[in-house]
Amino acid sequence: MALVNEHLLRLLDNYLFTDITRKVNSFKVTHPKAEVIHLGIGDVTRPIPAACREAMCKAVNDLGKAETFHGYGPEQGYDFLIEAILKHDYASRGVSLSASEIFISDGAKTDTGNLGDILRHDNSIGVTDPIYPAYIDSNVSSGRAGYIDEWGKWSNVVYIPCRMENNFIPPIPEQRIDIIYLCFPNNPTGAVLTKNELKNWVNYAIKNDALIIFDAAYEAYIRQPDIPHSIYEIKGAKKVAIEIRSFSKTAGFTGVRCGYTVIPKEVTAATLNGERISLNKLWLRRQTTKFNGASYISQRGAEAVYTPQGQEEVKTMIDYYMENARLMKKALGGTGLKVFGGENAPYLWVKAPDGMSSWKFFDKLLYDAQVVSTPGIGFGPSGEGYVRLTAFNDRRQCEEGIKRICHYL
Amino acid sequence: MALVNEHLLRLLDNYLFTDITRKVNSFKVTHPKAEVIHLGIGDVTRPIPAACREAMCKAVNDLGKAETFHGYGPEQGYDFLIEAILKHDYASRGVSLSASEIFISDGAKTDTGNLGDILRHDNSIGVTDPIYPAYIDSNVSSGRAGYIDEWGKWSNVVYIPCRMENNFIPPIPEQRIDIIYLCFPNNPTGAVLTKNELKNWVNYAIKNDALIIFDAAYEAYIRQPDIPHSIYEIKGAKKVAIEIRSFSKTAGFTGVRCGYTVIPKEVTAATLNGERISLNKLWLRRQTTKFNGASYISQRGAEAVYTPQGQEEVKTMIDYYMENARLMKKALGGTGLKVFGGENAPYLWVKAPDGMSSWKFFDKLLYDAQVVSTPGIGFGPSGEGYVRLTAFNDRRQCEEGIKRICHYL
C-alpha cells in the first residue's frame, strides 16, 4: 500500500487564522451592526501600477499571434526580466551578479518552501522568533524541524528571540546552526538590520559554514538610506546567502504571482563526504524537474515595475502604505502604547498594555474597537504579549480603526 | 555546515535535450543554408483563444481598481474556475466531484513533482515505459527511485514495457507496486486506453491497495467516443486515483501556466501504523504551506476556456493539430514506415526502419531530411528503436518536414 509522508501529519492545522476567523465570525453574529475593520491582513489592497497592467495586456495579446506567441519559457525565467532585476535591484546598489544567479518564480512562498528540496533532511534550522510561520512549516513537512514540544517549539529548530529588550535585533547565537532564516525588514516586528548588524550575521555564517536564507520581500519599504536592501551589500555574503525577493508587496502582485530567488554561484553546501556542491546548480536541477517557469504575462508585468513609470507608481503606492503606517504609529504612540516597526516596514508591532496576552489584547481590540489584529503568539513564542497591525488597508479604514483603538484605550 | 540533498545529485543532467541541441547546432554549422524543421517539440505554437485573451485582459484591469482588486487568492484556486471544471470536465461525463476535490495550480509539471511531498520516501514506483521523464526524475530527487543501473533503470522503479508487441498498452504487473503513474493519451506513444483496459488498472489498484497518479494532460485530443477522458469514469477510481489536468495542451497555456489536480476525498494512503490518511487533506496542507495560489489572471483565462466561444476556439485549435497528425501519419505510413499514435493524441511514435537505433534514426532524419525529432530512448529503455514526432508545428512546416522524410526514405 502507498504510505504517506508522516512528517506532514506533525504539521498542525494553522489554528491562528482559523481561530481569528472563528472569533471574528462569533463577534459578527452577536454584533450584527458593527463595522469591523481589518488591520491584521498581510495582503495589499491598492491597485497594481498602470505600467504593469499595460505590459500584461500587451503580453496577453502577444499570445494571440503566432509570431509573438510564447509557449514554455525558460524554467529560470526570461532574460528580459532577469536583466531588469540585475540592473535595478543589484547593480544600482553596487552588487554585481550574473543572469544565471537569478531564478524567477511564481512567488516567494513557493521558493521558501521548495528550497528545502535541495537540502538534507537533517540540517539544523535557526529562525528569529517571532517569524513568518511558513519557514518552519515547510521544514516540518520534510522532517527537518524535528518534534514539537509543549511550548510549541520544534526540537531541531533554534529560536533566536527578538524582543523589546534587544530592540527586536536577533543576537548572534552561541552554537552552530546549519541553515538560518532571516527576514528584514521583518515580518511581523517591522525591525530592520543596519549594515553592521547584517555583517555580524554574514561573518557568523562564514565562520560556522552556515547557510543564510535571506527574505527581502519588504526591502521596498526601507526609508532609512543606510539600511541594506540586499544581503549581498555585505562583503562575503555571496558565499553563504540565498536571497528571496517578491513583487507581491513591492508592486501589489499578490494575485499576479511573481518573485525571484538569488543563488550566487559561490554558495555551496556539503555532501556527507565533504564534497562542496553548488546550490545554484542544484536549484536549477530542482526547478527544471519540478517547475515549468512563471507565467509569461506575470513576468512582463514584473519587467514593467522597472520602467520609469513603473518605478514612479510603485513609489506612490509604497508612500501611501507608509503614510498609513506613520499616521497609525503616531496616533497609537500618543496613547502611551509601545509601538514598534512601521518606519521601514508596513507592519506595526504593538505591545499589549498591562501585561495582557496576545489573544486577550486581540479580543479587547475586537470587542471594544471592532478592529481585527493578528495575535503575536501566532508568529512564535516570543510574539506573546504583542499584536501585529498592518498598514495595507485603505487610508480611511486605517484612520478610523486607529481612532477607535485610541478611544477604547 | 549545511548539507545538500544527495538524492538530487543522482539526477543526471538531462542529456537528451542537451544532446539534441548540440547535434542540431553542429548540423547547422556544417550546413549553414539548410532550413531545419522542428518536429520534435512538445510545445504548442498556435495562438491562445480570443475568449481567454479577453478574459485575461479584463482580469488585468480588475487589478487596476481597488473595488475589483484581487490579492492573495485561495491556495486551492478560485471557485469560479473550480465550478466551471466540475461542470464541463466532470459532470458532463457523469462524474460527480465536489469543489474541495479540485486544486488549481500553475501547471501539471509542478503538481506531478510536488505530489511526492505527501508520500513517504520509500514507496515503490511503477511507470509505463517509455514515459515522460519528469515522473521518474521528481522521485529520484526525493530518494524514492533508488539507484540507477547500467541500463538506465532505477532500482525502486518497476518499468512496464509498452511496445509494438502489446500495442503500447501496459500489461497489468504481477507484483505489488505502491504508486503507479499512468498517462493516457500517452506521451510519447500516442496510445490510449479503452474503458476496459483502464478498468483493469483501477481494479489492480483496488486489489493491491496501490495509488494511481493519472496524467490526463492530453484528454482533449481524444477523438474516439468510447475512450475515457477521466479515470473517474471508471467505478472505484475515486478510492485509488489522483488525476492531473492542464490547460497547456488544451488551450495553448504553456506560457500562461494553469493546471489542476483532482484528489477525491476517498483516496487514502497509510501511516506505518496502518492508519488511513486522506490525501486530499494532506495535499491541502502541503499547498497552503508551500504555495500561494495560481495567478488570478491565468485562472480567469482558464475559466474562459469553458465559455461557448472558448470551447469553439479550443476545438478549432485541437482540430488543427490533429489534422497535422493525420496528414503526417498518412504520408509516413505510405512509405512503409510503422507509425503509431496520432489518432487520439498529438504525438506520432515512429519505428525506425531496419532495426536502427533511436539516435541513428534521429541523425538520419536530421542529416538527410533536415528534420529534428526526439529519440525514443530519451523516454526510457523501451523507447529504443523509435522516434517521437509531434503535430504541434505550423501546418506548412509539418507538411514540408514530412515530405522531406518521405523523400529521404
Side-chain angles (χ1 to χ4, degrees):
Chain A
M1 66 198 159
L3 296 171
V4 298
N5 169 10
E6 298 194 26
H7 303 304
L8 253 177
L9 300 179
R10 286 191 213 136
L11 195 57
L12 305 172
D13 290 316
N14 192 339
Y15 291 123
L16 176 65
F17 290 102
T18 319
D19 281 358
I20 291 175
T21 308
R22 195 173 46 72
K23 278 175 178 268
V24 172
N25 287 343
S26 340
F27 175 80
K28 283 182 177 168
V29 167
T30 49
H31 303 74
K33 288 187 179 165
E35 281 185 35
V36 173
I37 292 180
H38 290 264
L39 297 182
I41 50 166
D43 194 3
V44 295
T45 58
R46 306 293 300 162
I48 63 169
C52 302
R53 299 201 307 274
E54 283 156 26
M56 289 200 283
C57 274
K58 187 178 171 302
V60 167
N61 290 324
D62 286 350
L63 302 180
K65 291 187 288 286
E67 312 83 60
T68 51
F69 181 77
H70 282 72
Y72 292 124
E75 282 93 345
Q76 59 271 47
Y78 280 104
D79 281 340
F80 61 74
L81 178 53
I82 292 174
E83 294 301 331
I85 288 167
L86 289 175
K87 183 177 165 192
H88 293 276
D89 288 347
Y90 293 103
S92 70
R93 301 195 68 84
V95 176
S96 164
L97 290 164
S98 74
S100 57
E101 295 175 314
I102 309 283
F103 295 86
I104 311 296
S105 75
D106 67 318
K109 186 178 175 188
T110 313
D111 284 351
T112 304
N114 292 340
L115 273 171
D117 284 4
I118 66 172
L119 298 162
R120 228 179 113 89
H121 62 93
D122 53 3
N123 285 289
S124 63
I125 298 295
V127 296
T128 60
D129 172 34
I131 190 190
Y132 172 48
Y135 303 143
I136 295 180
D137 290 355
S138 60
N139 282 299
V140 172
S141 66
S142 62
R144 203 177 286 116
Y147 294 84
I148 197 165
D149 70 16
E150 54 191 303
W151 300 278
K153 288 190 174 183
W154 294 88
S155 57
N156 199 27
V157 175
V158 176
Y159 293 77
I160 305 161
C162 296
R163 300 204 178 105
M164 205 163 63
E165 295 71 29
N166 58 21
N167 289 315
F168 308 98
I169 304 305
I172 302 293
E174 284 170 22
Q175 76 266 58
R176 274 210 66 262
I177 305 170
D178 297 321
I179 302 165
I180 297 145
Y181 290 83
L182 296 177
C183 170
F184 291 95
N186 187 258
N187 173 17
T189 68
V192 288
L193 294 189
T194 63
K195 208 157 185 176
N196 267 334
E197 286 159 348
L198 191 52
K199 193 190 257 174
N200 290 339
W201 276 102
V202 170
N203 289 342
Y204 167 86
I206 293 171
K207 192 173 154 198
N208 290 278
D209 197 1
L211 174 68
I212 294 176
I213 297 179
F214 190 76
D215 183 348
Y218 299 96
E219 63 79 29
Y221 292 82
I222 295 173
R223 306 255 125 172
Q224 266 174 263
D226 53 338
I227 300 294
H229 287 234
S230 164
I231 195 167
Y232 306 119
E233 293 178 46
I234 309 298
K235 204 179 153 189
K238 278 193 196 173
K239 280 196 190 121
V240 292
I242 290 173
E243 180 164 292
I244 299 175
R245 295 254 190 135
S246 167
F247 295 96
S248 286
K249 306 297 159 75
T250 308
F253 271 34
T254 50
V256 174
R257 311 307 311 140
C258 199
Y260 66 88
T261 287
V262 185
I263 311 190
K265 294 265 168 71
E266 299 97 308
V267 185
T268 60
T271 64
L272 288 184
N273 290 331
E275 193 193 345
R276 305 300 301 200
I277 306 289
S278 155
L279 293 185
N280 179 291
K281 196 177 158 193
L282 222 49
W283 182 244
L284 180 63
R285 275 192 195 173
R286 191 271 167 210
Q287 292 294 80
T288 50
T289 305
K290 295 193 183 179
F291 184 57
N292 241 333
S295 165
Y296 171 69
I297 303 162
S298 306
Q299 291 189 65
R300 281 292 185 198
E303 182 192 20
V305 167
Y306 298 102
T307 59
Q309 187 196 338
Q311 289 286 289
E312 189 58 39
E313 291 183 80
V314 161
K315 187 179 172 300
T316 305
M317 189 190 304
I318 290 174
D319 285 350
Y320 180 95
Y321 292 134
M322 289 308 286
E323 178 63 9
N324 283 352
R326 192 189 67 79
L327 292 170
M328 291 165 73
K329 187 167 185 171
K330 192 179 161 199
L332 287 177
T335 67
L337 268 187
K338 289 205 173 83
V339 185
F340 306 93
E343 285 168 14
N344 295 289
Y347 296 121
L348 301 189
W349 190 238
V350 184
K351 182 93 177 85
D354 311 323
M356 244 186 264
S357 74
S358 289
W359 274 115
K360 177 90 190 194
F361 191 39
F362 170 91
D363 286 340
K364 284 273 179 199
L365 291 175
L366 178 60
Y367 277 79
D368 295 338
Q370 296 90 55
V371 167
V372 181
S373 60
T374 311
I377 182 78
F379 298 99
S382 295
E384 179 56 294
Y386 292 86
V387 299
R388 189 190 73 174
L389 297 180
T390 83
F392 285 133
N393 214 323
D394 175 81
R395 174 76 38 84
R396 272 198 275 180
Q397 293 276 298
C398 288
E399 287 179 327
E400 170 65 17
I402 294 301
K403 204 173 91 185
R404 289 195 205 158
I405 296 176
C406 294
H407 187 254
Y408 134 67
L409 288 167
Chain B
M1 67 199 158
L3 296 170
V4 298
N5 169 9
E6 298 194 28
H7 303 305
L8 252 177
L9 300 178
R10 288 190 211 139
L11 194 60
L12 304 172
D13 290 316
N14 192 339
Y15 290 123
L16 177 66
F17 291 100
T18 320
D19 282 359
I20 291 175
T21 308
R22 194 173 47 72
K23 278 174 177 270
V24 173
N25 287 342
S26 337
F27 174 79
K28 283 181 176 167
V29 167
T30 50
H31 303 74
K33 289 188 180 165
E35 281 184 35
V36 174
I37 292 180
H38 290 264
L39 296 182
I41 47 164
D43 195 3
V44 295
T45 58
R46 307 292 299 162
I48 61 168
C52 302
R53 298 200 307 274
E54 283 156 27
M56 289 199 283
C57 274
K58 186 179 171 301
V60 167
N61 290 325
D62 286 350
L63 302 180
K65 291 186 288 284
E67 313 81 62
T68 51
F69 181 78
H70 283 71
Y72 291 124
E75 282 93 345
Q76 58 271 46
Y78 279 105
D79 281 341
F80 61 74
L81 178 54
I82 293 174
E83 293 302 331
I85 288 167
L86 289 175
K87 180 176 168 194
H88 293 275
D89 288 346
Y90 293 103
S92 70
R93 300 195 69 84
V95 176
S96 164
L97 290 164
S98 74
S100 57
E101 295 176 312
I102 309 283
F103 295 86
I104 311 295
S105 75
D106 67 318
K109 187 178 175 188
T110 313
D111 284 351
T112 304
N114 293 340
L115 274 172
D117 284 3
I118 65 172
L119 298 161
R120 227 179 114 88
H121 63 92
D122 53 2
N123 285 289
S124 63
I125 298 295
V127 296
T128 59
D129 173 33
I131 190 190
Y132 172 48
Y135 303 143
I136 295 180
D137 290 354
S138 60
N139 281 298
V140 171
S141 65
S142 62
R144 203 176 286 114
Y147 293 84
I148 196 165
D149 70 14
E150 54 190 307
W151 299 280
K153 288 190 176 182
W154 293 90
S155 57
N156 199 27
V157 175
V158 176
Y159 292 77
I160 305 161
C162 296
R163 300 204 178 104
M164 204 164 63
E165 296 70 29
N166 59 20
N167 289 315
F168 307 99
I169 304 305
I172 302 293
E174 284 170 20
Q175 75 266 57
R176 273 210 67 262
I177 305 171
D178 296 320
I179 302 165
I180 297 145
Y181 290 84
L182 296 176
C183 170
F184 291 96
N186 188 257
N187 174 18
T189 69
V192 287
L193 294 188
T194 63
K195 209 157 183 175
N196 267 334
E197 286 159 349
L198 191 52
K199 193 189 258 175
N200 290 338
W201 276 102
V202 170
N203 289 341
Y204 167 86
I206 293 171
K207 192 172 153 198
N208 290 278
D209 196 1
L211 174 69
I212 294 176
I213 297 179
F214 190 74
D215 183 347
Y218 299 96
E219 62 79 29
Y221 292 82
I222 294 172
R223 307 256 124 173
Q224 266 174 263
D226 53 339
I227 300 293
H229 288 234
S230 163
I231 195 166
Y232 305 119
E233 294 178 47
I234 309 299
K235 203 178 154 189
K238 278 194 198 173
K239 279 197 191 119
V240 292
I242 289 173
E243 180 163 293
I244 298 175
R245 295 256 187 133
S246 166
F247 296 96
S248 286
K249 305 299 160 73
T250 309
F253 272 33
T254 51
V256 173
R257 313 306 311 138
C258 199
Y260 66 89
T261 287
V262 185
I263 312 190
K265 294 264 169 72
E266 299 97 309
V267 185
T268 60
T271 65
L272 288 184
N273 290 334
E275 192 193 347
R276 305 300 300 200
I277 306 288
S278 155
L279 293 185
N280 179 290
K281 195 178 159 193
L282 222 50
W283 183 245
L284 179 62
R285 277 193 192 171
R286 192 269 167 211
Q287 292 294 81
T288 49
T289 305
K290 294 193 183 180
F291 184 56
N292 241 333
S295 164
Y296 170 69
I297 304 163
S298 305
Q299 291 190 64
R300 282 290 184 199
E303 182 191 21
V305 167
Y306 299 102
T307 59
Q309 187 196 340
Q311 290 286 289
E312 189 59 38
E313 292 183 80
V314 161
K315 185 178 174 301
T316 305
M317 188 190 305
I318 290 174
D319 285 350
Y320 180 96
Y321 291 134
M322 290 307 285
E323 177 62 11
N324 283 352
R326 192 189 67 78
L327 293 169
M328 291 165 73
K329 186 166 186 174
K330 190 178 164 200
L332 287 176
T335 67
L337 267 187
K338 289 204 174 84
V339 185
F340 306 93
E343 287 169 13
N344 294 289
Y347 296 120
L348 301 187
W349 190 238
V350 184
K351 182 94 178 84
D354 311 323
M356 244 186 266
S357 74
S358 289
W359 275 115
K360 178 89 187 190
F361 192 38
F362 171 92
D363 287 339
K364 283 274 180 199
L365 291 175
L366 179 59
Y367 278 79
D368 295 338
Q370 296 90 55
V371 167
V372 182
S373 59
T374 310
I377 181 77
F379 298 98
S382 294
E384 180 55 297
Y386 292 85
V387 299
R388 188 191 73 175
L389 298 179
T390 83
F392 285 132
N393 214 323
D394 174 82
R395 174 77 38 82
R396 272 198 275 179
Q397 292 276 298
C398 288
E399 286 179 329
E400 171 64 18
I402 294 300
K403 204 173 92 186
R404 290 193 204 159
I405 296 176
C406 294
H407 187 252
Y408 135 69
L409 288 167

